[in-house]
Amino acid sequence: MSLKDSQWWRDAVIYQVYPRSYADANGDGVGDIAGIRARLGHLRDLGVDAIWMSPWYPSPMADAGYDVADFRDIDPVFGSLTEAEALIEEAHAAGIRMIVDIVPNHISSEHPWFKAALADPDAKERDYFWFRPGRGENGDEMPTDWRGEFGGTTWTRTPDGSWYLHLFTPEQPDLNWDHPDVRAEFESILRFWFDRGVDGIRIDSAALLLKDPALPEVLEDSPHPFHDLDGVHEVYRSWRRIADSYGGDRALIGEVWMPEVERFANYLRPDELHAAFNFDFLGCAWDPRLMRECVDRTLHAHAAVGAPATWVLSNHDVTRHVTRYGREDTTFSFDNNLDGTPVDLEVGTRRARAAALLSLSLPGATYIYQGEELGLWENENIPPEEFQDPMWGRRGHSRDGCRVPLPWTGDEAPFGFTTATPWLPQPAEWKDRTAQAQTGDPNSMLELYRSAIARRREESFSDFAWLDLDPAVLAFCRGQDFACVVNMSGAPVALPAHQSVLLASGPLDGDRLPPDTAVWLRMTS
């Protein structure tokens, strides 16, 4: 893919960097920009088209950087704005685009706006947030009984007796997107990063921005008061106009958790976002019927608005899919994270290898979460006293297991990630999953990803069509001579007639495909 491709997001391979856990260059145990720059060659050799950078802004880190105090600078733990600009230039020189994370629903309680709002009830900044009087005779009851995104309450009382809204933690006060100053500020932030050469914006919690000012309770048969309100689309239309003003090759990518396919597709209309994450696919069970239905729903919804589909297996918020696929229940929810369910890592790894070929051959863009290419599993043995995820305290589940620092070299932790103690512990068993150990091993997960991404670039993928084979098999063509076949059964199945095997996720048994194995085929004419 060329950096001159104006619609690169339609079929890009995009790699998520979680900066705290990618690579540490200054020896403090926390990943940083200097570490990313030093390990940029890993991403070049992997063959990715773009990097999505999780938040790297100044933050008290109440929620791992998603509580932003300043969107126009870099937190000192990661480096400096000058280093960020250098990383953007170096990535471009390596043929890799850059996407930064913007968090518009809320800011940090340490942001100057919120500090001013707390200091003076008459300050103009007060209207930038959702300050309300409490209920009850003394105003000591919360304005609503809304449940938070991390569980728990959504209102905190201030010393002057009023309450402010936070759908996440108290350190993340929600912004009032009905106020023009809030809208103008984020339009300015977009321009700030586009001016520095970033190629895209990933939008956190994209459906939550607007709230019903009447503050009704969440009722089953009534419109939701803060999720997916129609007015949010005007925000993204204004952002799209800004993105398009930079030459038409800047992308807006939304985090949109939406069970209704039609409502999800609304965010992808031609004058709104370019793409959005496919959580339906991420959470789908390892089951051929359910997976086929998921792919059909996805392609149908995106075709209706002319948008590219996206395929996501893991990210910084969910259990790594090697672990998920190794459980009896292979779906994802926050409630089955750290639940003690037995995991067969051999089965999970085999399925993860097959899922890599599946996701990289479906129509659209593919997202890879750092460490996915190494076959890393969830570290479920972190002592609770070492958890840093606020979800642990508010919901009883931690996302830290998927955020553990990457293993690069050596036979012992910290595996070249740092010269200090990593901010989260790494499993000793990862010694066989380091990038160094896997490089050059044709049977490794890393070399499978490298080969698949390279082959993906060589192929002229075209129209998608299902192949009707065994009911336990997921199989499709991309044009006349390319096919992907995934055996999701517990027994070997016969391969369809073909000229050659292009790539397989595991050893084949003659012309039979073993269980939980995927293969790319050159089909007969």
Side-chain angles (χ1 to χ4, degrees):
M1 179 174 293
S2 167
L3 290 180
K4 297 180 180 179
D5 185 349
S6 64
Q7 295 199 349
W8 57 273
W9 60 85
R10 287 191 167 272
D11 58 1
V13 176
I14 300 171
Y15 186 98
Q16 181 188 357
V17 168
Y18 193 73
R20 293 177 68 85
S21 298
Y22 187 76
D24 169 30
N26 68 1
D28 64 358
V30 178
D32 47 41
I33 295 173
I36 298 168
R37 294 172 68 187
R39 298 284 186 181
L40 193 61
H42 174 75
L43 302 180
R44 180 200 60 227
D45 295 344
L46 186 60
V48 302
D49 300 301
I51 297 169
W52 153 31
M53 187 70 60
S54 290
W56 52 3
Y57 313 107
S59 168
M61 300 293 169
D63 184 18
Y66 281 87
D67 49 318
V68 178
D70 182 357
F71 279 102
R72 295 180 179 84
D73 205 351
I74 301 297
D75 194 289
V77 74
F78 299 132
S80 67
L81 182 59
T82 299
E83 288 179 282
E85 292 170 336
L87 173 60
I88 294 168
E89 291 182 5
E90 290 165 7
H92 285 169
I96 301 172
R97 295 179 183 269
M98 289 289 297
I99 300 167
V100 297
D101 214 321
I102 297 293
V103 189
N105 178 71
H106 50 264
I107 55 178
S108 168
S109 55
E110 293 299 310
H111 190 286
W113 277 4
F114 193 71
K115 284 183 169 182
L118 277 185
D120 181 3
D122 295 323
K124 68 175 184 178
E125 289 87 355
R126 194 84 161 188
D127 293 333
Y128 297 170
F129 304 91
W130 290 92
F131 283 90
R132 291 293 185 273
R135 296 180 295 184
E137 184 176 347
N138 299 315
D140 55 1
E141 298 178 23
M142 293 183 298
T144 71
D145 292 324
W146 293 354
R147 176 178 171 82
E149 296 297 301
F150 289 169
T153 61
T154 58
W155 295 90
T156 291
R157 200 171 194 187
T158 67
D160 63 27
S162 61
W163 298 75
Y164 70 88
L165 175 67
H166 49 84
L167 294 183
F168 293 84
T169 70
E171 295 85 2
Q172 295 166 285
D174 277 42
L175 290 163
N176 174 15
W177 274 84
D178 292 328
H179 201 291
D181 288 359
V182 173
R183 299 193 181 210
E185 170 68 0
F186 275 85
E187 290 178 359
S188 174
I189 290 167
L190 260 63
R191 292 189 179 94
F192 178 89
W193 286 106
F194 284 149
D195 287 344
R196 275 149 189 80
V198 304
D199 304 280
I201 303 291
R202 183 264 187 185
I203 306 162
D204 182 74
S205 301
L208 296 180
L209 273 57
L210 269 65
K211 282 78 178 174
D212 184 339
L215 300 182
E217 293 297 343
V218 179
L219 302 175
E220 185 174 346
D221 297 325
S222 300
H224 201 286
F226 61 80
H227 186 251
D228 188 36
L229 272 64
D230 288 340
V232 75
H233 296 286
E234 182 49 45
V235 172
Y236 298 132
R237 291 188 187 100
S238 72
W239 288 22
R240 180 61 177 262
R241 289 191 290 270
I242 292 171
D244 288 348
S245 73
Y246 281 82
D249 64 346
R250 310 298 171 99
L252 303 175
I253 302 159
E255 182 197 29
V256 184
W257 292 84
M258 193 76 60
E260 300 87 2
V261 171
E262 294 77 11
R263 300 290 298 184
F264 174 87
N266 286 342
Y267 289 81
L268 301 175
R269 289 175 289 199
D271 60 346
E272 296 191 41
L273 306 183
H274 297 83
F277 293 109
N278 185 354
F279 294 111
D280 190 21
F281 183 74
L282 181 151
C284 188
W286 189 254
D287 177 278
R289 179 183 62 82
L290 296 177
M291 192 70 77
R292 178 165 176 164
E293 290 174 355
C294 170
V295 171
D296 279 338
R297 280 193 304 271
T298 298
L299 295 180
H300 175 76
H302 288 77
V305 289
T310 65
W311 310 102
V312 187
L313 294 169
S314 288
N315 65 32
H316 65 292
D317 281 333
V318 306
T319 306
R320 285 190 176 275
H321 61 276
V322 167
T323 296
R324 289 202 319 273
Y325 287 156
R327 291 174 172 160
E328 184 175 352
D329 178 4
T330 54
T331 61
F332 168 77
S333 74
F334 286 118
D335 294 328
N336 69 9
N337 186 23
L338 299 181
D339 63 358
T341 303
V343 177
D344 187 329
L345 290 177
E346 182 180 348
V347 170
T349 299
R350 196 164 62 237
R351 290 173 173 173
R353 291 175 65 89
L357 296 193
L358 170 63
S359 63
L360 286 165
S361 54
L362 286 166
T366 303
Y367 286 77
I368 298 171
Y369 176 50
Q370 65 177 41
E372 179 178 324
E373 79 282 10
L374 302 178
L376 302 186
W377 57 84
E378 189 87 354
N379 185 3
E380 298 185 290
N381 296 314
I382 301 173
E385 62 270 18
E386 295 189 34
F387 285 149
Q388 301 192 33
D389 179 14
M391 188 178 281
W392 170 250
R394 296 171 65 83
R395 197 165 174 173
H397 302 286
S398 175
R399 299 165 295 176
D400 286 336
C402 68
R403 299 175 175 182
V404 174
L406 296 187
W408 291 101
T409 61
D411 295 327
E412 296 180 349
F415 299 117
F417 167 75
T418 181
T419 56
T421 300
W423 72 281
L424 286 173
Q426 301 157 304
E429 296 80 5
W430 278 5
K431 66 179 182 179
D432 296 326
R433 299 294 174 111
T434 66
Q436 180 185 55
Q438 296 191 54
T439 295
D441 178 358
N443 297 316
S444 70
M445 184 77 81
L446 178 57
E447 293 299 345
L448 176 69
Y449 267 88
R450 287 174 172 170
S451 298
I453 294 171
R455 172 65 67 174
R456 171 189 169 102
R457 286 186 170 180
E458 295 170 3
E459 291 295 323
S460 299
F461 288 157
S462 58
D463 294 341
F464 174 92
W466 290 111
L467 294 174
D468 290 321
L469 303 178
D470 188 296
V473 169
L474 199 71
F476 55 87
C477 286
R478 294 295 310 278
Q480 292 185 341
D481 63 353
F482 178 94
C484 177
V485 182
V486 187
N487 181 8
M488 295 184 172
S489 75
V493 297
L495 290 173
H498 60 278
Q499 290 182 357
S500 61
V501 172
L502 301 176
L503 189 61
S505 67
L508 303 182
D509 180 13
D511 278 344
R512 295 180 66 79
L513 188 63
D516 298 321
T517 302
V519 65
W520 287 355
L521 300 175
R522 177 72 67 215
M523 300 295 286
T524 56
S525 301

